[in-house]
Amino acid sequence: HCNLTLLFGFGQAIACADAGVTLISPFVGRILDWFKKAKGVSSYSMEDDPGVLSVQRIFNYYKRHGYRTQVMGASFRSAEQVTALCGCDLLTVAPALLTELSSSEAEVPKRLDADEARAMNIERLEIDERSFRWMLNQDAMATEKLAEGVRGFADDLESLSRYVAKLLSS
C-alpha cells in the first residue's frame, strides 16, 4: 500500500496503475503554476486549467481500463479547481479552501463519473521503461517538476539528518 506523490505526467500515472499502486496524488496547483509561468499568462479558465485537465485525463483512463489505483487530486490553488474535480476518488483540500467551499451556496455538479469513463473510447497504453522514459522526457513540465520535487525531498532529508544528529549529540 502506498501513495505515489510528485506525480505530474500521464506516463507516471500509467506506470503507477500498472504497478498496482494504491493511490496517486497529482499536484493540480503545481501543474497550473508551471504552465502559467511557462506560457507567460496570469490565469486559465477551468475548462483549460492544465492541472484539472491532467487529473480528469488520469481519472478517466483509470476508470475506463478498470484500474484499482485511486486518484487523489492535491495542491489546489482555488476552490474552483476543487469543484472542477467533483467526483474524483479523493481530494486533499487545504483548510482555507474548505472554509471557502463551506460558505458557498453554489451548486457543485459531479464532473467526473466512473460509469461515464468506462464508456469512453480511450486507448490503453502499454508502458515499459523505454516508453516511460520517453513520455517523461517529452513532457517538460513533468520532468522539471519531478526533478524539483526530488531535490526538495533530498534537501529535507539533509535537514532532518542534521537535526537528528544535533539532538543525539546533546
Side-chain angles (χ1 to χ4, degrees), residues 2 6-7 23 28 41 44 49 75-76 87 96 102 116 127 143 149 152-153 155-156 162 164 168:
C2 62
L6 293 181
L7 194 129
L23 172 71
V28 178
V41 299
Y44 279 87
D49 182 306
S75 179
F76 293 100
S102 70
E116 289 178 13
I127 301 290
T143 299
F153 281 153
D155 291 344
D156 291 345
R162 285 190 303 274
V164 170
L168 292 174

Side-chain angles (χ1 to χ4, degrees), residues 81-148:
Q81 285 182 320
V82 175
T83 60
L85 294 173
C86 181
C88 192
D89 296 320
L90 300 159
L91 302 173
T92 179
V93 181
L97 292 178
L98 286 175
T99 300
E100 182 180 339
L101 289 164
S102 70
S103 66
S104 173
E105 298 202 16
E107 289 290 318
V108 180
K110 188 174 185 178
R111 305 286 174 107
L112 296 174
D113 185 279
D115 291 333
E116 289 178 13
R118 281 189 274 281
M120 292 178 175
N121 183 20
I122 303 172
E123 178 185 357
R124 185 176 184 128
L125 302 176
E126 297 299 323
I127 301 290
D128 58 13
E129 182 178 354
R130 183 178 176 182
S131 58
F132 172 84
R133 288 179 182 273
W134 180 253
M135 288 178 79
L136 187 61
N137 183 65
Q138 292 302 101
D139 186 338
M141 178 277 302
T143 299
E144 290 175 24
K145 295 305 291 179
L146 176 59
E148 176 185 291

